Amino acid sequence: MSKIIELKSEEKNIILPEEADIIVVEKDAANMPFERIFTLAPNMKAQYILILPNLGSIESFSRQWHIGEGASLDVYYLFLDYTHEVKLSHDLATRAQINSHSLYLGRNQEQLKVQADYNFNDEASGGRVAVDALLNDQAKLRYGADINVMKKAQRSDTRVDMRLRLMGKDSRGQLVPGLNIAANDVKAGHSASTFQLSAEDMFYLRSRGLSPDEIQKLFALSMANKFVSDLSDDDLKKELLNIISSRL
Amino acid sequence: MSEDIKSHDSLWDDYNQSDYMQQTKHGLTEALVRQISAEKEEPEWMLAHRLESLAQFQKMSLPTWGPDLSALNLDKITYYAKAMEGQAQSWDDVPADIKNTFDKLGIPKAEQEVLAGVGAQYESTVIYHSLKEEYQKKGVIFEDLDVALKKYPELVRPHFMKAMPVTLHKFAALHGAVWSGGTFLYIPAGVVIDEPLQAYFRMNAKGMGQFEHTLIIVEAGAQAHYIEGCSAPRYGVDSLHAGGVEIYVREGARFRYSSVESWSKDAYNLNTKRAIVEKKAHMEWVGGNFGSNVTMLYPCSILVGEGASADHLGVAFANEGQIQDTGAKVIHAAKNTSSNIVMKSISKGGGKSIYRGLVEIAPQADNAVVSVQCDALILDEISVSDTIPVMKINNASATIAHEANAGKINAEDMFYLRSRGLKEAEAAAMIVNGFIDPITKELPLEYSVEMNRMVELEMENSVG
């Protein structure tokens, strides 16, 4: 069973304890410093959940991770009513792994700008980055996710997948999945897509009695379920799904 | 190494004597801009345009994104030089040393065998232009742009630097001030040209700048294929190419623009290419970028008519000391438009290849469909590949799929080819040619063979 650590202090430098299977949760707006640096010790395994609410009038918000040799980190970034700029940075040592999941459900006049960097500094490191966004009303998003594979990071294996769905007529999105590769013996890929439900899918769902609004909600829930699917703690999974559902 | 490859390599090393350069000066001044316009006996509006461009150039800064251009000394560039007076009436009238250069490039032979028309520019001016009679009779115009400016002002003036405004960036402004030569191609409505037309641009002298302007108007329902080639010898002194290409593709027309650019490795290639594509028209860009010190080139399609579409296919090869910063821009500005971008890049010997792309869906562009595929091959431990795609989506009905991959030559493929008796460099060249095959197969046979040879040339001494 995972040990859950809910961060409630203003402390800026967090060195995770060298224990197996930790889940770190940041969701308390009152104790959420604008900058925070985390260190995960070599060969440790952890999960990190950031639920980013509206923090009022701030210029920017950043989180930085140093992931030690052979360590493994799963991150879950859930952006709620947040407006402004977020900088996320992840530095990976030899054989370190990261699985990054981001979900943004934008609404009203929210404007979110995210720049997420994944820096693969040493050999045989790897990562999977998934970004899903669903924008309603006049919400706007600019999401940059850069994979930076350094010269020493031979045999690294990295991939970014970004999916955006605009649901509001006046919603706007900008995706920038970057690959910066300075090593040759690597696998690196990215994809970005926007999409519509096909006419056949819409027809089928309408024929089952669902209204267009219910179809959209169903769609958002499927994204939410995908977002939490790898999370190991069922209670946290339910909590995240409840938060997401309450916004739909 | 084959004789063919040797002969191609010499294009980067051989140059002719350039006595005409003694009458030229380095650097850019208003007096030079006025001199260019006066020598060409241009109308007043063109001089005004040049001077406005010069003012813009002086106001604008170098781009802050992309490769560092601070080492390019614009005061050491020769902006205008004429190697011969006027234009030759036949190929035989071209001076022997210049003719020899183009003979090596295979231009006259290709003209006879596969081309509908051909243009050849040497330094700042066009020295030869021809078009088969059958197309002249159909109303096709294929001229040096300097000539077209005088003969067809009603066609040139409404289009000149409208798709590529001087305010676009510093080198567009520079181009507007000192442009010289280039191509004017007009294809009347409904005319289909089955054979390609070609223009070849050659910089010969040391420290030269070349600023040819290509203006193409493809009227409704017309179809054609136009090819540009470029090269320059290597001196160890920077040279600059800042050409401009504007293409107007009218309703229902189809146009393909292909280019194989093999500048010497001391040339800055800062080129601008833009097309405006109207209702149900189709624009295709096929490009191969080899050579140069720094290339910054992003052909752009602006889809302004309902149902307009564009294909962008490109190859870039960055070898030692080179930065190939290339890509594509597509702006979807109307309903039911579609675009397809396929880019391949190869980095070797410390070279850096960058794919920089922009896909923008305007709010009114309902049901836009976009596909982007870019693949990068990194051939050694000291080379670099970046992929920087930007997707701006302002309409909820857009469907966009972007996919990119980077990696090295597959070890099993290499092992198989070596086991069949190929040397390491030959095997690597074969694999690289296979990698770029989706692009080369879109070129006429002669040009795809040329591109494959250039890859073989670049792959010499490759360790795979």
Side-chain angles (χ1 to χ4, degrees):
Chain A
M1 187 159 164
S2 305
K3 177 183 177 182
I4 298 172
I5 302 170
E6 192 168 328
L7 297 177
K8 292 198 168 170
S9 74
E10 282 272 352
E11 196 181 339
K12 288 190 175 175
N13 285 301
I14 308 278
I15 297 170
L16 267 60
E18 295 193 20
E19 297 171 36
D21 226 359
I22 300 166
I23 302 179
V24 180
V25 181
E26 260 198 290
K27 61 178 181 180
D28 182 3
N31 293 305
M32 203 174 264
F34 300 151
E35 293 175 10
R36 198 166 241 169
I37 299 170
F38 295 91
T39 304
L40 179 62
N43 302 314
M44 291 295 109
K45 190 177 171 189
Q47 294 170 82
Y48 168 63
I49 299 166
L50 172 67
I51 302 170
L52 193 55
N54 189 350
L55 295 176
S57 56
I58 62 161
E59 287 298 313
S60 66
F61 179 95
S62 72
R63 290 293 179 266
Q64 195 176 342
W65 274 91
H66 296 290
I67 306 166
E69 186 174 335
S72 171
L73 176 70
D74 285 8
V75 294
Y76 298 84
Y77 297 119
L78 177 60
F79 305 102
L80 296 179
D81 299 305
Y82 185 80
T83 288
H84 298 302
E85 192 170 350
V86 179
K87 288 181 181 162
L88 305 169
S89 173
H90 314 81
D91 288 291
L92 289 92
T94 305
R95 290 184 290 103
Q97 295 290 319
I98 186 165
N99 286 302
S100 173
H101 314 261
S102 296
L103 180 63
Y104 177 51
L105 302 172
R107 61 182 179 183
N108 302 325
Q109 280 88 39
E110 291 169 16
Q111 293 190 26
L112 175 66
K113 192 174 172 186
V114 180
Q115 179 57 48
D117 290 330
Y118 299 85
N119 306 314
F120 298 85
N121 298 316
D122 286 295
E123 268 193 280
S125 46
R128 292 290 178 270
V129 177
V131 177
D132 285 292
L134 206 148
L135 305 187
N136 281 289
D137 308 320
Q138 291 92 43
K140 291 184 173 61
L141 168 70
R142 186 204 185 275
Y143 206 116
D146 281 0
I147 294 278
N148 303 310
V149 178
M150 310 305 174
K151 204 173 275 291
K152 282 162 63 183
Q154 297 289 2
R155 295 187 292 118
S156 59
D157 183 350
T158 62
R159 183 161 181 89
V160 176
D161 294 294
M162 306 177 88
R163 295 196 311 165
L164 170 69
R165 184 166 160 80
L166 301 182
M167 294 171 72
K169 190 172 168 288
D170 298 314
S171 52
R172 303 284 182 262
Q174 186 173 334
L175 301 179
V176 189
L179 287 179
N180 304 304
I181 315 289
N184 69 323
D185 188 4
V186 298
K187 283 184 194 167
H190 67 210
S191 74
S193 59
T194 64
F195 53 94
Q196 302 301 306
L197 284 179
S198 70
E200 289 82 5
D201 292 342
M202 279 300 275
F203 178 78
Y204 173 76
L205 292 167
R206 294 298 306 276
S207 73
R208 309 309 291 174
L210 293 169
S211 70
D213 281 351
E214 285 168 328
I215 291 169
Q216 298 288 21
K217 190 172 176 182
L218 193 65
F219 189 79
L221 282 172
S222 77
M223 280 176 119
N225 274 301
K226 180 174 168 280
F227 174 69
V228 299
S229 62
D230 293 339
L231 194 56
S232 63
D233 185 273
D234 286 341
D235 291 338
L236 276 171
K237 222 182 238 188
K238 276 182 204 154
E239 186 183 342
L240 282 172
L241 285 173
N242 284 337
I243 292 169
I244 295 166
S245 297
S246 69
R247 283 176 60 89
L248 300 175
Chain B
M1 186 168 68
S2 73
E3 282 305 310
D4 286 336
I5 292 172
K6 266 186 194 164
S7 117
H8 187 91
D9 194 24
S10 69
L11 294 174
W12 285 342
D13 296 324
D14 289 355
Y15 55 87
N16 299 326
Q17 291 306 312
S18 45
D19 299 339
Y20 50 88
M21 294 297 281
Q22 289 164 11
Q23 287 121 46
T24 65
K25 287 181 187 159
H26 292 148
L28 180 59
T29 60
E30 184 179 325
L32 175 71
V33 171
R34 288 182 180 277
Q35 181 202 327
I36 294 170
S37 192
E39 278 193 23
K40 293 174 183 290
E41 298 173 346
E42 288 177 345
E44 201 56 37
W45 71 265
M46 182 57 83
L47 174 62
H49 184 274
R50 286 183 185 276
L51 294 173
E52 183 203 332
S53 302
L54 178 65
Q56 282 290 341
F57 170 73
Q58 287 164 340
K59 268 195 287 186
M60 294 168 105
S61 312
L62 288 171
T64 51
W65 50 272
D68 179 12
L69 301 176
S70 58
L72 171 61
N73 188 346
L74 291 166
D75 294 330
K76 292 282 184 194
I77 298 294
T78 300
Y79 289 89
Y80 182 68
K82 275 198 299 188
M84 63 179 270
E85 283 298 328
Q87 213 179 85
Q89 293 305 305
S90 77
W91 190 248
D92 292 337
D93 297 336
V94 175
D97 57 342
I98 299 176
K99 195 161 67 173
N100 184 39
T101 301
F102 286 100
D103 282 343
K104 276 185 190 169
L105 292 159
I107 304 296
K109 189 166 177 278
E111 179 191 3
Q112 288 160 19
E113 292 174 1
V114 295
L115 298 174
V118 69
Q121 177 158 341
Y122 194 81
E123 310 296 25
S124 300
T125 54
V126 174
I127 50 116
Y128 177 69
H129 233 276
S130 75
L131 175 68
K132 280 186 178 170
E133 201 178 337
E134 63 181 283
Y135 297 115
Q136 291 179 32
K137 283 179 183 166
K138 287 181 177 175
V140 175
I141 303 167
F142 186 52
E143 287 277 12
D144 166 2
L145 185 61
D146 286 322
V147 172
L149 181 61
K150 294 192 186 80
K151 284 172 74 176
Y152 310 103
E154 73 288 358
L155 289 172
V156 174
R157 187 170 183 179
H159 297 95
F160 182 80
M161 292 201 80
K162 295 292 190 292
M164 174 195 162
V166 297
T167 50
L168 197 60
H169 54 73
K170 189 174 180 70
F171 291 95
L174 174 64
H175 176 90
V178 296
W179 77 272
S180 181
T183 297
F184 177 71
L185 173 60
Y186 176 81
I187 305 163
V191 172
V192 175
I193 304 180
D194 296 322
E195 302 154 299
L197 300 125
Q198 187 188 2
Y200 203 95
F201 302 101
R202 174 74 173 172
M203 272 198 292
N204 172 68
K206 188 176 178 179
M208 190 61 205
Q210 197 171 54
F211 308 94
E212 83 287 350
H213 192 92
T214 298
L215 176 58
I216 295 169
I217 303 162
V218 191
E219 292 289 11
Q223 291 183 29
H225 180 191
Y226 170 77
I227 304 169
E228 278 188 354
C230 321
S231 66
R234 183 163 37 199
Y235 286 102
V237 171
D238 291 339
S239 56
L240 171 63
H241 177 243
V245 175
E246 295 182 280
I247 303 171
Y248 298 85
V249 193
R250 304 280 194 236
E251 184 173 340
R254 294 183 72 86
F255 190 72
R256 175 178 284 190
Y257 171 98
S258 302
S259 66
V260 180
E261 305 203 18
S262 55
W263 299 104
S264 70
K265 292 180 184 175
D266 44 23
Y268 282 82
N269 182 26
L270 311 174
N271 221 346
T272 307
K273 303 182 182 187
R274 288 163 79 90
I276 293 181
V277 191
E278 297 187 1
K279 189 176 177 182
K280 291 186 180 168
H282 182 68
M283 176 69 211
E284 291 176 36
W285 300 93
V286 183
N289 287 293
F290 297 81
S292 86
N293 170 3
V294 174
T295 287
M296 293 174 79
L297 174 57
Y298 325 98
C300 172
S301 297
I302 305 168
L303 308 178
V304 297
E306 188 172 347
S309 58
D311 286 345
H312 288 242
L313 310 174
V315 174
F317 199 123
N319 213 325
E320 185 182 355
Q322 292 180 274
I323 301 175
Q324 293 282 1
D325 195 324
T326 61
K329 282 171 82 171
V330 183
I331 298 166
H332 291 252
K335 289 179 182 174
N336 304 321
T337 50
S338 62
S339 62
N340 178 40
I341 299 171
V342 180
M343 292 285 158
K344 306 271 181 179
S345 71
I346 302 118
S347 308
K348 173 180 172 278
K352 181 171 187 177
S353 65
I354 301 158
Y355 168 78
R356 195 182 298 275
L358 170 69
V359 171
E360 183 169 350
I361 312 294
Q364 71 275 19
D366 293 341
N367 308 317
V369 178
V370 180
S371 168
V372 183
Q373 171 78 44
C374 27
D375 297 317
L377 204 49
I378 309 168
L379 297 182
D380 51 45
E381 292 176 6
I382 54 172
S383 301
V384 174
S385 170
D386 292 350
T387 306
I388 309 164
V390 177
M391 278 153 278
K392 291 183 182 175
I393 304 141
N394 299 315
N395 185 303
S397 64
T399 302
I400 299 180
H402 170 103
E403 177 73 33
N405 288 292
K408 65 170 188 172
I409 286 179
N410 185 300
E412 284 86 13
D413 294 347
M414 198 72 183
F415 178 77
Y416 174 76
L417 291 172
R418 294 298 308 275
S419 74
R420 311 306 294 173
L422 270 69
K423 291 178 186 158
E424 194 165 2
E426 290 170 338
M430 187 174 282
I431 290 168
V432 172
N433 275 328
F435 175 71
I436 65 169
D437 185 60
I439 317 299
T440 51
K441 77 180 182 189
E442 296 299 326
L443 291 166
L445 181 63
E446 294 75 12
Y447 299 92
S448 66
V449 169
E450 164 91 355
M451 206 186 278
N452 288 341
R453 281 178 184 163
M454 288 167 81
V455 167
E456 286 166 19
L457 191 67
E458 296 284 0
M459 293 298 292
E460 277 176 18
N461 306 317
S462 167
V463 291

